[in-house]
Amino acid sequence: MNISQLFKKGKTVFSFEVFPPKKGQSHENIYGVLEKFAVMNPDYISVTCGAGGAGGDDTLEIASFIRNTCKVNAVAHLTCVNSSKEDVKRILNALGEHNVTDVLALRGDINPDIPRCNDFLYASDLTAFIKETGGFGVFGACYPEGHNQAESLNADLKNLKRKVDAGAEILISQLFFDNEIFYSFMEKVRLIGIEVPVCAGIMPVTSKKQIERMVTMCGASMPSKLTKIIARYEDNPEALRDAGIAYATEQIVELISNGVEGIHLYSMNSPYVAEKIYSSVEKLL
């Protein structure tokens, strides 16, 4: 089934994100993780790009395992900042050969030490190219607090509209910790004529170092309720992990109650985190 059809069933679509192992590490651990995720029967699992960027062999191999061994819908992340049209065609052909027919189209991070390939300047360019190629469902990323390189949230929303007009069928949001920010963002999204489903991206806080890194990277704001949790339990890793899970679960329950179309859980490849949260919300979906 095309993943976009799942959003027409009147239920909250629930999914996980996983990432490939670091360069030189074995894939055996991620396969065990995925088998545990598959037992929860998520609507889809997305796979970020490996160390090689773009949509490299690691992403392909893991997405194929999800689709063909776990029998779960797979979404492969695909970046374009350093890719030519031929590179993208090759990746799409390989994905198609492995029955992976959904991709998350991203620009990718700009590395000043690597010359850019100018075939694709923006994710909207990649989206349009994939749609012209045919045979793939295309996801896009969105940013409730605005992309950290955008001039403003309004400018970022205009870029998002271009992405959707280019063919993005489903949007996955960057992480956020304050649901009011997401609700406000959704009002703006609908006002400018974007009607595609939007999945709320939720990342449980499981360590102070992890969340500081993520906030620095994406610019998500930290509500005082969460900063107090981190301050209280930062020296007790297990307590902070479980408090972070509880906070994320509370976010998800409220989002579902307010009619969110999808929840995309940034799982950090942790079956413990995924199972704790999923078991708390599965009857609400």
Side-chain angles (χ1 to χ4, degrees):
M1 177 186 288
N2 186 293
I3 294 176
S4 64
Q5 298 300 311
L6 296 174
F7 290 87
K8 299 177 181 179
K9 292 189 171 185
K11 65 181 284 292
T12 303
V13 172
F14 193 91
S15 56
F16 298 118
E17 179 185 279
V18 298
F19 52 84
K22 293 180 180 179
K23 191 172 182 180
Q25 291 182 346
S26 169
H27 282 63
E28 291 304 313
N29 184 57
I30 187 65
Y31 292 153
V33 166
L34 291 168
E35 287 169 349
K36 291 178 180 178
F37 281 7
V39 171
M40 291 178 270
N41 196 31
D43 291 298
Y44 65 89
I45 299 175
S46 77
V47 189
T48 68
C49 294
D57 292 342
D58 284 348
T59 303
L60 170 62
E61 185 177 333
I62 294 168
S64 177
F65 183 85
I66 293 167
R67 186 71 190 93
N68 299 302
T69 302
C70 298
K71 306 300 181 184
V72 174
N73 292 314
V75 178
H77 291 212
L78 177 56
T79 62
C80 63
V81 65
N82 297 315
S83 299
S84 67
K85 290 181 178 180
E86 288 305 312
D87 293 331
V88 171
K89 283 183 181 178
R90 175 182 54 78
I91 293 166
L92 293 175
N93 287 339
L95 289 169
E97 288 171 0
H98 286 79
N99 303 314
V100 178
T101 57
D102 290 276
V103 295
L104 173 57
L106 303 162
R107 185 198 67 181
D109 296 330
I110 296 173
N111 185 335
D113 298 324
I114 301 176
R116 287 194 63 174
C117 179
N118 292 319
D119 282 7
F120 305 102
L121 296 181
Y122 306 105
S124 56
D125 300 328
L126 176 61
T127 300
F129 182 78
I130 296 169
K131 295 301 292 186
E132 289 168 8
T133 300
F136 287 85
V138 184
F139 286 62
C142 61
Y143 305 86
E145 298 180 69
H147 192 283
N148 58 10
Q149 294 178 3
E151 294 178 5
S152 65
L153 178 56
N154 284 338
D156 195 42
L157 285 165
K158 290 178 182 178
N159 291 332
L160 182 62
K161 182 66 163 60
R162 293 189 190 98
K163 193 185 300 184
V164 172
D165 290 345
E169 304 162 69
I170 301 165
L171 299 175
I172 299 176
S173 90
Q174 179 61 274
L175 62 93
F176 59 92
F177 301 106
D178 183 342
N179 286 356
E180 292 302 322
I181 289 173
F182 183 77
Y183 300 145
S184 175
F185 172 73
M186 287 301 302
E187 287 180 7
K188 294 179 174 68
V189 161
R190 298 310 185 208
L191 280 173
I192 63 171
I194 294 175
E195 299 297 336
V196 301
V198 181
C199 299
I202 300 297
M203 175 174 281
V205 175
T206 57
S207 77
K208 183 179 180 182
K209 183 178 179 181
Q210 163 234 349
I211 210 59
E212 286 177 343
R213 182 176 70 252
M214 292 307 302
V215 168
T216 299
M217 287 174 60
C218 70
S221 58
M222 296 277 285
S224 61
K225 180 178 179 179
L226 183 56
T227 57
K228 288 176 182 176
I229 289 172
I230 295 171
R232 174 71 180 269
Y233 300 113
E234 62 181 304
D235 296 323
N236 186 336
E238 288 188 357
L240 179 55
R241 177 198 63 191
D242 287 350
I245 289 171
Y247 186 94
T249 301
E250 184 179 338
Q251 272 194 277
I252 292 169
V253 170
E254 187 191 273
L255 287 163
I256 293 172
S257 300
N258 280 275
V260 71
E261 294 157 296
I263 297 291
H264 193 60
L265 187 68
Y266 295 109
S267 72
M268 296 160 292
N269 294 13
S270 170
Y272 178 88
V273 170
E275 289 166 356
K276 285 286 187 181
I277 291 176
Y278 182 75
S279 66
S280 296
V281 305
E282 63 175 316
K283 290 182 172 59
L284 309 180
L285 300 171

